[in-house]
Amino acid sequence: MRGALASHPTGSTETTRTESEFHLALHQRTEVSVEQYGSGIGGMEEFILKSATISTSPACPPFTPLNFEATPIVRVAVEPKHPSEMPKLVRGMRLLNQADPCVEVLIQETGEHVLVTAGEVHLQRCLDDLRERFAKIKISASKPIIPFRETVVRPPKVDMVNEELGKQHKVAVIHQVKEDQTKYSEGVQVDSTGLVTLTTSNKMATVGVRAIPLPEEVTHLLEDNVELIRTMEQLSVFAREGKTLDINQKILENIQDLKVKLESHLQGHKWRGAVERIWAFGPRRCGPNILLNNVEGYPRPSMWQCLERERAEMATFRDFDNSIISGFQLATLAGPMCEEPLMGVCFSVETWDMKFSTPLAQYDLFDKDSVTEPNTVNQSGSSELKDACEMDVSTSNQSRSRAEAAGSSVDCYGPFSGQLIAAVKETCRYAFQAKPQRLMAAMYTCEIMATAEVLGRMYAVLSKREGRVLHEEMKEGTDMFIIKAVLPVAESFGFAEEIRKRTSGLASPQLVFSHWEVISSDPSWVPTTEEEYLHFGEKADSSNQALKYMNAVRRRKGLYVEEKIVEHAEKQRTLSKNK
């Protein structure tokens, strides 16, 4: 029997040989010899994770991967009861990952084994399968970890009581900004427009950054094209090294389409020519945040140079260009509110000045001496992509060693590249805090079928858990209503059980992850106008949902939480009677 294996677009780039004499030349339609088995094909479980396309014809295109509505969002850390059984847990999690198309298994930087599932019921099912079928050991799981995102928004036009902001409030905000400037460290300057300027410890470089909220359409577009952005990043690395690579025409068309859509969404005076000046995406070089180059006199090469049919004269990179990118990646990976990733934020680099007594370009510090996360090779590319990345890593190690040997960029504050990375990171964090900042919560789409007599009780459960009804309609020919609502993932635990109890089993919810939504309340809000003082009081100690979420995440991560342990100490009583 002669067969051909058409690889999946998200398959591996590795060429291997299995026990059943499969020759897998992935990303190429190559004929392979196959042994026939009575009930199917064996020996593939080590090389196919979720799905692949096997065909008797080399001309068969790979099938589109199965799309599931349920997106994994809830994660837990698992570990065996007995540490000696860790290999069994690892093998069991690998089998679970292959058996369940909606689960994700990963190992964090801390070494924890993490299970990512679609929801509460799916999580319990996966843990039971891990205990009873795949690992067959006793395991312990942490409390469910709910992800959040951090973003900035435009300054609001109304206050917390829906009154239009007047001159009094603007003056109060200006005074608050001046008070906040006294809290900044030495060398940080913040102007009224939100431009933050910071100088490195050795006073040899100054960076100015401004944070701008991205349009919602751009954020969704970047989220949907993560793999394509990762491919662009790899192509820009090859262009930087002067290497040539044959690129699939379909990939070029997709990149061109992404560029056109970005230009259509980024309209207005402040976004004029912004797409051509994109410096990087983040975090992990493929996220929904943008680093923009607005440095005067620095026309660095464009990220879209792979679309140019004739290579124009290459623009030159400044020294320590990649240190700016690395600082941006670190800043977007963990925000200042509760160390969660940023989303929908554009950091515009306005100024970048460096002063050196001796030029450092001779030490070839360009793009090498940075601390950045490793980029994975785009899985839809060829094996040549992987070899080029390995050469890039070895070249960077040689360049770094030459720079350290030179020693001129190292002073009592450490290597200059490290100082610049830290300065850019802190500048981005201060620029983020200079704008109105908000938390973004993961949201479920909740579809409920219920009868008319239990609608009131169902709405009570939804409102208690910060849910919001989108629409309801009556199913024709029955007395059943179909209600569609959105519910925060953080409030979904125990929701199905509670709604069944309150409605005596007459309402049945179905939860599917939908989107990220900005929480409207400001976690750091304090009353400033007279109407807010009258409505909320001087203490404004009413429940703030965003503050509750933020403090919960900070408490889980061991960060400082600003809260009062004792209030009204004069009212405390002792056991003895008052005299």
Side-chain angles (χ1 to χ4, degrees), residues 410-422:
V410 180
D411 52 22
C412 62
Y413 299 103
F416 178 73
S417 60
Q419 296 181 46
L420 190 56
I421 291 172

Side-chain angles (χ1 to χ4, degrees), residues 42-330:
M44 300 292 293
E45 63 273 2
E46 295 292 331
F47 309 102
I48 296 178
L49 179 59
K50 300 285 185 184
S51 63
T53 303
I54 300 177
S55 170
T56 57
S57 171
C60 175
F63 293 152
T64 303
L66 297 176
N67 292 324
F68 297 94
E69 289 188 2
T71 305
I73 190 68
V74 179
R75 59 179 62 197
V76 292
V78 295
E79 61 181 8
K81 289 282 187 182
H82 305 288
S84 60
E85 295 178 331
M86 178 61 77
K88 293 183 180 180
L89 176 65
V90 173
R91 181 178 178 275
M93 293 183 72
R94 187 176 70 248
L95 292 175
L96 176 64
N97 194 21
Q98 289 179 327
D100 194 329
C102 293
V103 78
E104 288 183 9
V105 173
L106 52 94
I107 301 177
Q108 288 186 331
E109 295 85 353
T110 57
E112 292 178 307
H113 290 75
V114 175
L115 201 64
V116 191
T117 60
E120 181 185 13
V121 179
H122 186 217
L123 170 63
Q124 192 58 45
R125 181 71 264 171
C126 290
L127 292 177
D128 291 343
D129 286 343
L130 203 56
R131 292 188 182 100
E132 299 168 5
R133 298 181 58 188
F134 299 118
K136 296 181 180 179
I137 59 173
K138 294 181 179 180
I139 62 174
S140 58
S142 67
K143 291 183 179 180
I145 300 171
I146 309 300
F148 289 90
R149 295 291 183 267
E150 302 179 23
T151 188
V152 294
V153 296
R154 294 181 178 179
K157 296 181 179 179
V158 295
D159 57 13
M160 291 292 289
V161 291
N162 291 328
E163 294 286 340
E164 187 176 356
L165 296 178
K167 185 177 179 181
Q168 178 185 0
H169 181 268
K170 293 178 181 178
V171 171
V173 169
I174 292 173
H175 285 300
Q176 186 176 358
V177 170
K178 290 182 178 179
E179 291 176 2
D180 292 340
Q181 285 187 1
T182 60
K183 303 176 184 178
Y184 293 148
S185 58
E186 184 181 358
V188 180
Q189 297 178 355
V190 184
D191 64 6
S192 58
T193 62
L195 178 64
V196 178
T197 307
L198 187 141
T199 307
T200 56
S201 302
N202 58 4
K203 311 297 182 184
M204 297 179 69
T206 303
V207 181
V209 177
R210 189 192 311 276
I212 308 170
L214 283 175
E216 189 175 348
E217 298 83 4
V218 175
T219 305
H220 293 325
L221 184 63
L222 297 180
E223 272 192 303
D224 296 337
N225 292 275
V226 170
E227 292 297 331
L228 190 61
I229 295 173
R230 189 178 286 121
T231 304
M232 288 173 50
E233 178 64 30
Q234 296 300 330
L235 293 176
S236 65
V237 170
F238 295 143
R240 208 175 296 168
E241 296 293 328
K243 300 173 184 176
T244 58
L245 183 68
D246 293 333
I247 308 172
N248 188 356
Q249 186 63 30
K250 186 177 181 181
I251 294 179
L252 289 177
E253 291 175 0
N254 292 338
I255 294 176
Q256 180 66 38
D257 187 45
L258 173 64
K259 182 179 179 182
V260 171
K261 288 181 179 178
L262 280 175
E263 289 174 343
S264 64
H265 292 318
L266 293 175
Q267 297 290 340
H269 176 70
K270 65 177 180 180
W271 297 113
R272 187 176 299 168
V275 177
E276 291 291 343
R277 291 182 279 109
I278 293 178
W279 201 327
F281 298 95
R284 298 184 176 91
R285 295 183 179 261
C286 58
N289 302 285
I290 292 177
L291 181 66
L292 208 59
N293 176 24
N294 278 327
V295 181
E296 189 176 353
Y298 180 37
R300 71 185 303 277
S302 170
M303 284 198 66
W304 314 96
Q305 56 188 342
C306 60
L307 298 175
E308 300 173 1
R309 296 187 180 275
E310 296 181 1
R311 179 165 297 187
E313 185 177 350
M314 284 286 292
T316 57
F317 289 92
R318 289 177 64 175
D319 296 333
F320 307 103
D321 178 275
N322 205 50
S323 296
I324 301 290
I325 299 177
S326 300
F328 164 73
Q329 301 296 333
L330 292 174

Side-chain angles (χ1 to χ4, degrees), residues 351-544:
T351 58
W352 178 23
D353 301 324
M354 292 193 296
K355 303 174 184 177
F356 293 113
S357 55
T358 56
L360 296 179
Q362 55 182 325
Y363 300 121
D364 192 23
L365 292 176
F366 154 69
D367 201 52
K368 306 299 181 188
D369 50 355
S370 61
V371 182
T372 176
E373 298 185 11
N375 286 314
T376 58
V377 180
N378 179 37
Q379 295 177 347
S380 61
S382 63
S383 59
E384 181 183 351
L385 214 57
K386 184 176 180 181
D387 299 336
C389 285
E390 292 175 354
M391 293 174 60
D392 184 48
V393 171
S394 61
T395 309
S396 66
N397 292 334
Q398 295 174 4
S399 178
R400 190 181 297 112
S401 61
R402 288 200 305 270
E404 292 174 353
S408 67
S409 63
V410 180
D411 52 22
C412 62
Y413 299 103
F416 178 73
S417 60
Q419 296 181 46
L420 190 56
I421 291 172
V424 173
K425 176 188 173 184
E426 291 302 316
T427 308
C428 290
R429 290 172 73 97
Y430 286 134
F432 182 90
Q433 292 175 309
K435 296 289 183 178
Q437 46 191 344
R438 297 289 188 272
L439 271 184
M440 297 185 74
M443 303 296 287
Y444 277 138
T445 295
C446 178
E447 191 168 313
I448 307 173
M449 293 186 65
T451 57
E453 58 265 20
V454 297
L455 283 180
R457 283 174 279 174
M458 185 203 62
Y459 285 147
V461 176
L462 274 174
S463 61
K464 173 186 174 184
R465 292 176 175 266
E466 305 295 330
R468 188 175 72 254
V469 176
L470 300 180
H471 68 268
E472 66 175 39
E473 60 181 355
M474 191 172 185
K475 197 172 183 181
E476 293 183 5
T478 66
D479 61 344
M480 300 292 292
F481 282 85
I482 300 177
I483 297 96
K484 192 170 184 180
V486 289
L487 182 75
V489 176
E491 303 288 342
S492 65
F493 292 93
F495 171 73
E497 184 179 359
E498 182 181 1
I499 205 169
R500 289 192 188 103
K501 284 182 179 178
R502 293 289 299 275
T503 62
S504 302
L506 296 177
S508 176
Q510 183 180 2
L511 301 176
V512 177
F513 175 71
S514 174
H515 63 284
W516 296 90
E517 187 173 292
V518 178
I519 302 175
S520 58
S521 57
D522 184 1
S524 58
W525 173 80
V526 291
T528 52
T529 64
E530 184 178 352
E531 291 80 6
E532 289 176 343
Y533 276 113
L534 291 174
H535 190 274
F536 295 100
E538 187 174 350
K539 291 171 59 179
D541 53 357
S542 58
S543 61
N544 187 333

